[in-house]
Amino acid sequence: MADFPVIKAEAKCGGIVIKDEWPGYHLDLFTFPEHYSGDLECVYLPHGIIMDRTERLARDIMDDLGDHDIVVLCVLKGGYQFCADLVEYIKALSRNSNKSLLMRVDFIRLKSYLNDKSTEDLHIVGAEDLSVLNGKNVLIVEAIVDTGKTMKALLKHVETFKPKMVKVAGLLVKRVENAVGRSPDYVGFEIPNRFVVGYALDYNEYFRDLNHICVISESGKMKYKI
Ligand code: HPA
Ligand code: MG
């Protein structure tokens, strides 16, 4: 039987800490698309846990920003699922409370990974005109933060549009040694430095259509390597 992975939930900023030793759940315990059988090692974070944690992040965000209008800036492609679910939960909270949060949702597309390695150069692909951010409260929504380099470059880019305030929500933060920059204001899970896929996180564009966050197997890596 698998150990329970969570050692502590630190208040707000730290996220749920997943220990280095967490082996994940056996694949037989959950369902996943047949086309990925053999490509995965384990279910690392089941979809339901991701959703429940996201709901709580939405509440934290509402507590802090509920009286403001915000621009949600979704970092594509990996952030689309987290952003969509987070926005849904914020909308639900907004409906059911006396706080009415006006949200705009905008998108920015970044690319820095090839296979499972981070490349040095960050590409802002299809650069949107982000002048809409001028004078606004901005919530950047990113699926994963590892070295922090991407986030640092993105924050620098966003700051050039002179927003009033910038907060960052990251579903996953990896424990890496040489992390740079600030960590997100809202963190779902702090995870070991392992390459994960699913819930819109990809390996060379595959596995986005997987609901759980999983660890890819060596044969999976070989199969989709470019
Ligand atoms: N998985 C997918 N994309 C990523 C990861 C990861 O673990 N880290 C940075 N981008
Ligand atoms: Mg990617």
Side-chain angles (χ1 to χ4, degrees), residues 113 144 146 174 194-196 201-202:
Y113 263 69
I144 193 160
D146 52 12
K174 280 192 195 174
R194 302 186 70 174
F195 196 80
V196 290
L201 288 168
D202 75 308

Side-chain angles (χ1 to χ4, degrees), residues 54-72:
T54 302
E55 183 175 21
R56 178 54 202 252
L57 293 182
R59 195 177 101 188
D60 293 343
I61 290 165
M62 273 300 275
D63 287 348
D64 293 350
L65 306 175
D67 295 322
H68 300 72
D69 294 346
I70 62 172
V71 180
V72 174

Side-chain angles (χ1 to χ4, degrees), residues 77-78 110-115 195 200-205 208:
K77 295 179 188 174
L110 305 181
K111 188 165 171 50
S112 67
Y113 263 69
L114 183 67
N115 295 320
F195 196 80
L201 288 168
D202 75 308
Y203 175 82
N204 294 332
E205 303 302 328
R208 294 196 202 275

Side-chain angles (χ1 to χ4, degrees), residues 74-77 107-111 123-127 205:
C74 172
V75 181
L76 297 173
K77 295 179 188 174
F107 301 88
I108 187 165
R109 189 169 156 204
L110 305 181
K111 188 165 171 50
H123 300 284
I124 296 178
V125 191
E205 303 302 328

